[in-house]
Amino acid sequence: MALKNIIGIDHAVVMVKDLDSAAENYRKLGFTLSPRGTHSAHMGTGNYTIMFDPDYMELLGVLVPTEHNAPARAFVERHGEGIERIAFTAIDSAAGAEEIRARGFTPIGPTDFERPVTLPDGTVSAAKFRTFMWPTAETPGGVRIFACQHKTRETVWIPELMRHANAAKQISEVLIATPEPAKDSAHLAQLIDREPKAEADGAVTVTSGGDRADFVYLTLDQLGKRYPGVPLAGLSERGGAALVLVSGDLAATEKSLGPAGVRSGAAIVVPPAKANGTLLAFIAG
């Protein structure tokens, strides 16, 4: 990435209406979840994380309405549950914010916040972050982007939380639905200094950097052709649609997902209606 302080996708944020109910749903899908976290008061949100290597998923819910979480609340009112934003890993959020400012984008932040963490031995520590966001209006394909600097990686990437019954290991792709894949992928590429690459089926890929997941912009029709037999009910024609997850053992994935999983070509897929508005496609690692 030409941006020196940002190194690819860090995590995907799935907005949910009822945080604890969503967490229970993901546990039934074979994910190991962190204990529930409550963010700093000005954030007004709580979360559960699903840790992989080197990235993760975050189930995020609004606990108390604040000015900071107004865009997230608007997303849920407009779209319902699903992928609301994608975070990049920031080496230095303050320097990263200045990098995008130099490119003509006014950053939001940097913002410091933390949440208490109960460690496996029962002791309580804290996960501390410094984030900045691209302007709220800059939402390629309807998905906001921001960057997250982890000050305390040891309280986030906890080995016991990185083992999942469904064998999920890493995010491979973030699929974003849009009627205009070329336009929205070019928008993202401009924001993060990358080059879009057209795929054979008409989708467009934008790499996020390093060994991290790729962005893929595609129409709902193209998504349906990639995963035949998987109902797409609950997805908007524009917005975060799916996460492709690398599985270390597809047989274990299939067993863990049970009736929620649908075989589709080489993938095992959880339809969005069964994963809080997000299609989950497991592929062999």
Side-chain angles (χ1 to χ4, degrees):
M1 217 181 237
L3 294 170
K4 295 181 175 59
N5 285 281
I6 299 162
I7 54 171
I9 289 177
D10 187 83
H11 63 278
V13 178
V14 178
M15 282 300 308
V16 297
K17 294 178 180 178
D18 184 319
L19 188 54
D20 293 330
S21 175
E24 184 56 32
N25 187 41
Y26 271 74
R27 287 191 191 97
K28 290 177 180 176
L29 294 174
F31 291 104
T32 301
L33 275 67
S34 68
R36 174 170 155 164
T38 301
H39 294 133
S40 303
H42 71 279
M43 305 287 286
T45 49
N47 75 344
Y48 289 91
T49 59
I50 300 171
M51 303 307 302
F52 307 129
D53 183 12
D55 47 34
Y56 64 101
M57 294 174 62
E58 177 181 9
L59 304 180
L60 185 70
V62 173
L63 305 180
V64 179
T66 68
E67 180 182 356
H68 191 278
N69 63 45
R73 285 182 281 120
F75 173 89
V76 172
E77 290 169 9
R78 193 168 57 246
H79 292 290
E81 299 180 306
I83 300 168
E84 189 262 343
R85 71 193 100 146
I86 299 294
F88 295 88
T89 300
I91 299 169
D92 183 322
S93 279
E98 291 311 309
E99 279 192 278
I100 71 165
R101 191 190 306 277
R103 287 160 170 76
F105 303 106
T106 302
I108 301 169
T111 301
D112 291 292
F113 68 100
E114 62 183 75
R115 58 178 168 82
V117 173
T118 301
L119 298 174
D121 64 3
T123 61
V124 177
S125 184
K128 300 181 181 182
F129 313 90
R130 175 173 290 170
T131 64
F132 74 89
M133 303 192 74
W134 277 256
T136 304
E138 305 290 349
T139 56
V143 177
R144 291 196 292 160
I145 60 172
F146 72 109
C148 180
Q149 176 184 347
H150 291 271
K151 297 180 179 179
T152 54
R153 294 185 68 86
E154 69 281 0
T155 63
V156 178
W157 275 271
I158 297 171
E160 289 87 343
L161 298 180
M162 295 168 66
R163 294 189 286 268
H164 306 280
N166 61 26
K169 298 292 184 186
Q170 181 179 4
I171 302 172
S172 172
E173 295 177 328
V174 176
L175 307 186
I176 298 175
T178 168
E180 302 176 291
K183 178 181 177 182
D184 282 313
S185 60
H187 184 187
L188 175 71
Q190 178 193 21
L191 295 175
I192 64 171
D193 283 351
R194 306 298 289 182
E195 290 294 326
K197 177 189 173 188
E199 304 293 344
D201 64 354
V204 185
T205 295
V206 180
T207 60
S208 76
D211 60 351
R212 305 302 179 89
D214 295 334
F215 291 88
V216 180
Y217 289 82
L218 74 180
T219 65
L220 279 184
D221 183 59
Q222 289 162 345
L223 178 63
K225 289 176 179 175
R226 287 193 175 199
Y227 300 108
V230 178
L232 302 183
L235 294 180
S236 302
E237 70 167 7
R238 187 171 189 268
L243 297 175
V244 179
L245 304 175
V246 175
S247 166
D249 182 345
L250 276 181
T253 300
E254 192 163 35
K255 179 180 179 182
S256 183
L257 294 178
V262 177
R263 271 276 179 184
S264 182
I268 303 171
V269 183
V270 180
K274 295 187 178 181
N276 296 86
T278 301
L279 184 150
L280 302 174
F282 293 79
I283 60 171

